Amino acid sequence: MSKEITSREKDYSQWYNDLVIKAGLADYSAVRGCMIIKPYGFALWENMRDQLDKRFKETGHQNAYFPLFIPKSFLSKEAAHVEGFAKECAVVTHYRLKNDENGNGIVVDPEAKLEEELIIRPTSETIIWNTYKSWIQSYRDLPLLINQWANVVRWEMRTRLFLRTTEFLWQEGHTAHATSQEAIDETVQMLNVYAEFAEEYMALPVVKGVKSINERFAGAVDTYCIEALMQDGKALQAGTSHFLGQNFAKAFDVKFSDKENKLEYVWATSWGVSTRLIGALIMAHSDDDGLVLPPKLAPIQVVIIPVFKGADQKALVDEKVNVIVNDFKALGISVKYDDDDSRRPGWKFAEYEMKGVPVRIAIGMRDIENNIAEVARRDDKTKQSVSLDGIANTVKVLLEEIQINIYSKAKKFRNEHITQAETWDEFVSLLDGKGGFISAHWDGTSETEEKIKELTKATIRCIPLDNNKEDGKCILTGKPSRERVLFARAY
RNA sequence: CGGGGCGUAGCGUAGCCCGGUUAUCGCGCCACAUUUGGGAUGUGGAGGUCGCAAGUUCGAAUCUUGCCGCCCCGACCA
């Protein structure tokens, strides 16, 4: 074995790093905290992006692009927003380099200091709302439904491939509406788009909920989120959708004339998911042999591996496989025929398992004689002999089955890891033992949430949208509570 | 920024404590042959500013000092 993966049991974070590197999703880069997304990883992102983009357009949004740089003064216009992001902003102060007079190579030219420094966007609310001011005058200009695919920079102290990098790729939707209700509806609609995408395509079960004040986006009135559970029992925020109220409209003075010719501030939303989803995908499904990718997002859905001795046999196998490859293509299935003779079949088997390809087909002379092929599925590692007649259709059905199986497995795990806690001791021992979401009563105060975080490192992941009202006592303070919230240690 | 670990060929490493011929081993790479149904085997070969700089010494991968970088744990966060 040339590419050993650390087992999950031995070291979960090392397992994760090994997978990302060895499956060829990404590489470390020369810049600390920044990663290189390699072709295989980017293909995965493209599949996610294309699917989300389609859903955004179906719900009436248009793509646009705003600048990478934001004038420093913009950021400070919304008080909570600046406070939330100030600590992690990269700042451009100069616009020119020159050769050092003492021969120390190239240096920043002190003469070329910017009049107003530029922030590299950590998110684009400010530059966008500055723009919306000039785009919106009348109720006829609303709603304004814009999305952008972009990179952003947040100067995090500690980074992890895909999960938290200094620069990352994402999409950010920014919408403007005439009424509060319309904006709230938009916020919830996009949350549902995310949730459906996560469950249907990523095979990732999520809890839809609202964030507590502590966890809310800087500048939002309400932050909605989808929360997923990873195999190590830690939660991961997979997407957020914010109801921004009139905060940014007021900060950037964006008003519109309504039908009665009254000037009103507009209502706003913003929503985003990032390349972090790739991290979620990996940690939710994969195993000690490598990635397990859901068929709907896998860059390669089916790999075909020939087994032969000599050129004569290879020619026979090629002939058979070429027909099958065309059948797959006709069905819109992404298929790779790996006839590279410098690798032996066993090596390829392990390699494509590492890469999480959902279905592997092996075809040799023995199979051709019997008109069959060996079909192996990545999710449960089982193999079966399948007739070559109509094999593309057989595998198409199998891919659908795999998609469902991966989701069911993740959902079962998730459901088994939502546990109710009634006492503080129970709460703590659940966190330290079983992990996962803990459903518990909370008195609703930031102080208590803060205290719990300090004592246990667990945070309130969300208040589920479909929560039952249930009177109880706060897990920490014993004060009265009207409903349970979900706690977890999180990424 | 604190605490811990590390830097030797593309990757992973031995050697360092106790300085001394040509820097160890595995994987990978190149050539050829035999191979090909779960990470092939043999033979031959290429590949190194031992993180950087200064110092000690006849002599430094090894000792001293300074610097740089990376990883893990924490504080911060999607």
Side-chain angles (χ1 to χ4, degrees), chain A residues 104-325:
Chain A
N104 293 325
I106 210 142
V107 295
V108 172
D109 185 347
E111 305 276 299
K113 196 161 162 43
L114 284 174
E115 199 74 9
E116 178 173 7
E117 289 160 345
L118 296 170
I119 310 297
I120 299 180
R121 63 181 165 216
T123 180
S124 301
E125 272 78 5
T126 57
I127 186 97
I128 285 179
W129 280 87
N130 173 264
T131 309
Y132 282 4
K133 178 180 165 59
S134 65
W135 286 2
I136 298 168
Q137 277 94 43
S138 152
Y139 71 92
R140 295 174 205 269
D141 298 322
L142 298 173
L144 181 56
L145 306 173
I146 303 282
N147 175 64
Q148 85 165 343
W149 290 95
N151 57 339
V152 287
V153 167
R154 296 182 187 175
W155 215 265
E156 303 290 353
M157 298 193 170
R158 236 184 109 198
T159 57
R160 295 200 59 192
L161 296 166
F162 287 115
L163 295 175
R164 179 169 296 105
T165 45
T166 300
E167 179 190 17
F168 57 96
L169 304 183
W170 78 343
Q171 60 64 219
E172 45 182 326
H174 296 273
T175 69
H177 306 264
T179 67
S180 167
Q181 190 56 51
E182 202 184 302
I184 292 170
D185 290 347
E186 165 78 4
T187 311
V188 172
Q189 173 185 241
M190 298 323 287
L191 184 78
N192 286 329
V193 166
Y194 289 154
E196 283 160 25
F197 170 75
E199 305 214 332
E200 225 180 278
Y201 284 81
M202 297 176 66
L204 184 69
V206 293
V207 178
K208 291 187 274 189
V210 184
K211 286 291 188 190
S212 64
I213 295 168
N214 292 20
E215 299 286 319
R216 186 189 284 164
F217 174 73
V221 173
D222 266 318
T223 287
Y224 293 73
C225 62
I226 50 172
E227 290 286 327
L229 190 64
M230 304 296 102
Q231 292 181 57
D232 62 346
K234 285 171 82 173
L236 185 142
Q237 178 177 302
T240 49
S241 184
H242 315 290
F243 170 56
L244 302 173
Q246 294 174 311
N247 291 348
F248 284 90
K250 285 177 178 165
F252 288 88
D253 195 33
V254 185
K255 293 179 192 160
F256 71 103
S257 302
D258 67 12
K259 287 180 182 172
E260 279 82 48
N261 199 28
K262 268 185 4 204
L263 270 185
E264 302 280 359
Y265 285 111
V266 305
W267 298 83
T269 82
S270 70
W271 29 273
V273 296
S274 72
T275 37
R276 180 178 230 211
L277 287 179
I278 295 174
L281 196 61
I282 297 165
M283 285 202 291
H285 305 310
S286 301
D287 62 27
D288 291 349
D289 294 320
L291 293 178
V292 174
L293 297 178
K296 285 188 180 178
L297 292 175
I300 302 167
Q301 294 171 302
V302 177
V303 64
I304 303 176
I305 296 170
V307 183
F308 59 88
K309 294 180 194 179
D312 293 351
Q313 288 193 3
K314 173 143 194 316
L316 284 169
V317 176
D318 280 351
E319 194 187 339
K320 266 292 189 235
V321 172
N322 287 337
V323 175
I324 297 169
V325 164

Side-chain angles (χ1 to χ4, degrees), chain A residues 427-451:
Chain A
F427 183 82
V428 172
S429 72
L430 277 167
L431 275 175
D432 289 335
K434 184 180 172 188
F437 291 114
I438 300 171
S439 176
H441 281 283
W442 162 60
D443 65 19
T445 67
S446 286
E447 295 73 39
T448 301
E449 183 178 2
E450 203 65 53
K451 186 80 186 165

Side-chain angles (χ1 to χ4, degrees), chain A residues 53-67:
Chain A
D53 199 63
K54 193 175 133 223
R55 306 292 284 267
F56 297 158
K57 288 179 179 150
E58 280 168 5
T59 45
H61 303 86
Q62 290 182 297
N63 285 333
Y65 188 79
F66 293 81

Side-chain angles (χ1 to χ4, degrees), chain A residues 230-417:
Chain A
M230 304 296 102
Q231 292 181 57
D232 62 346
K234 285 171 82 173
L236 185 142
Q237 178 177 302
T240 49
S241 184
H242 315 290
F243 170 56
L244 302 173
Q246 294 174 311
N247 291 348
F248 284 90
K250 285 177 178 165
F252 288 88
D253 195 33
V254 185
K255 293 179 192 160
F256 71 103
S257 302
D258 67 12
K259 287 180 182 172
E260 279 82 48
N261 199 28
K262 268 185 4 204
L263 270 185
E264 302 280 359
Y265 285 111
V266 305
W267 298 83
T269 82
S270 70
W271 29 273
V273 296
S274 72
T275 37
R276 180 178 230 211
L277 287 179
I278 295 174
L281 196 61
I282 297 165
M283 285 202 291
H285 305 310
S286 301
D287 62 27
D288 291 349
D289 294 320
L291 293 178
V292 174
L293 297 178
K296 285 188 180 178
L297 292 175
I300 302 167
Q301 294 171 302
V302 177
V303 64
I304 303 176
I305 296 170
V307 183
F308 59 88
K309 294 180 194 179
D312 293 351
Q313 288 193 3
K314 173 143 194 316
L316 284 169
V317 176
D318 280 351
E319 194 187 339
K320 266 292 189 235
V321 172
N322 287 337
V323 175
I324 297 169
V325 164
N326 285 331
D327 288 348
F328 275 117
K329 285 182 180 164
L331 291 174
I333 292 169
S334 158
V335 59
K336 175 174 177 176
Y337 177 39
D338 186 351
D339 65 345
D340 177 1
D341 197 24
S342 68
R343 303 286 185 200
R344 298 165 81 257
W347 191 92
K348 293 176 187 173
F349 292 173
E351 182 67 12
Y352 290 104
E353 269 160 23
M354 174 87 75
K355 287 181 167 285
V357 175
V359 169
R360 178 188 75 230
I361 300 176
I363 300 183
M365 295 312 293
R366 219 159 68 198
D367 302 301
I368 290 174
E369 281 162 23
N370 296 311
N371 197 43
I372 57 165
E374 181 193 82
V375 173
R377 51 192 280 188
R378 178 62 183 89
D379 60 330
D380 65 9
K381 311 275 305 244
T382 59
K383 295 180 205 173
Q384 52 182 307
S385 287
V386 170
S387 167
L388 287 181
D389 300 328
I391 189 169
N393 281 300
T394 312
V395 169
K396 184 180 196 263
V397 173
L398 185 62
L399 286 169
E400 285 159 13
E401 195 183 316
I402 292 170
Q403 180 81 30
I404 291 166
N405 181 49
I406 293 176
Y407 175 70
S408 307
K409 206 170 147 191
K411 187 158 191 176
K412 181 164 180 280
F413 179 85
R414 199 277 311 271
N415 289 346
E416 285 169 0
H417 287 81

